[in-house]
Structures are given as structure tokens and as C-alpha cells.
Amino acid sequence: MTNIAIILTESAILAERGILKYTGDCVEVEVGEEIVEVPEVETINTFKGWQKLGYKIKKGEKHKAAFKIWVKSKKKTEQTEEEQTETEEEKEQKKRGFYKKMAYWFTADQVEPITK
């Protein structure tokens, strides 16, 4: 599963739980050979992601969600016990130099523009 797919899936789950809000719009998603309309969920991003967009997290805000995404490794990773339960896709990603890392997610109402 790609990072985009992970983020979209986790966002939908968080919206169903009431942690994230729906925007009121719908997006088209390809499911197998069908195109299905699903409710759009508010934008989430990591601390660094918001920074790159010119925003900072408001003082005192806590992340709304935490889940793992793929990150490119800068060095060769060591094998762990966790590898016994990995899917074939996860094993393939690790061969290409990626590993899963916990990321912390914030919504647009938790950020403000960076002022200098």
C-alpha cells in the first residue's frame, strides 16, 4: 500500500470515528473496476508537511492521529522480529530501502501561517 493509500484509508477510518470532519464534498475513488463517490475528509498533514506549506502548529495543539507510513531509509536497516508478520508487499518495500515509521497528523484548524 502506498503512503497516499494509507493516508486516505486512515483518514476515512478517523472520520467514521468522529476524529476528523467531512468537508461536505465527495471524491471519486476507483474500487476494482468501479468508480465510487465517497465523502471527502478534511486535510491532514505532519508537522514537517505543514512547515513545507508555510504553516506552524498552534501552541498547545496535540496531534489528531498517529499511524505509520513508508519512509526512505538513509542506511541499511537491520532485521527485526516484526518481519515474521510482514506481508509480501512490506518485505518488497524493505528490499527497496523503505521502512514504516510512526507519523503524527494535524488538521488545518490546528495550524497558523508562519510569520517572520
Side-chain angles (χ1 to χ4, degrees), residues 71-88:
V71 178
K72 180 75 172 156
S73 178
K74 293 180 180 153
K75 60 183 179 179
K76 191 171 182 177
T77 57
E78 294 182 19
Q79 294 182 351
T80 64
E81 291 178 20
E82 193 177 286
E83 290 180 356
Q84 294 173 358
T85 59
E86 287 179 342
T87 64
E88 288 301 317

Side-chain angles (χ1 to χ4, degrees), residues 35-92:
I35 294 180
V36 181
E37 281 194 3
V38 295
E40 183 179 53
V41 179
E42 67 182 317
T43 302
I44 60 173
N45 215 329
T46 60
F47 178 85
K48 284 185 179 181
W50 283 116
Q51 264 188 332
K52 288 178 185 176
L53 295 172
Y55 293 90
K56 64 180 180 177
I57 307 301
K58 294 177 184 174
K59 188 174 182 173
E61 291 288 343
K62 304 288 184 218
H63 62 274
K64 291 254 179 138
F67 52 87
K68 291 183 177 184
I69 57 171
W70 291 109
V71 178
K72 180 75 172 156
S73 178
K74 293 180 180 153
K75 60 183 179 179
K76 191 171 182 177
T77 57
E78 294 182 19
Q79 294 182 351
T80 64
E81 291 178 20
E82 193 177 286
E83 290 180 356
Q84 294 173 358
T85 59
E86 287 179 342
T87 64
E88 288 301 317
E89 182 184 4
E90 290 174 327
K91 289 177 184 175
E92 183 61 33

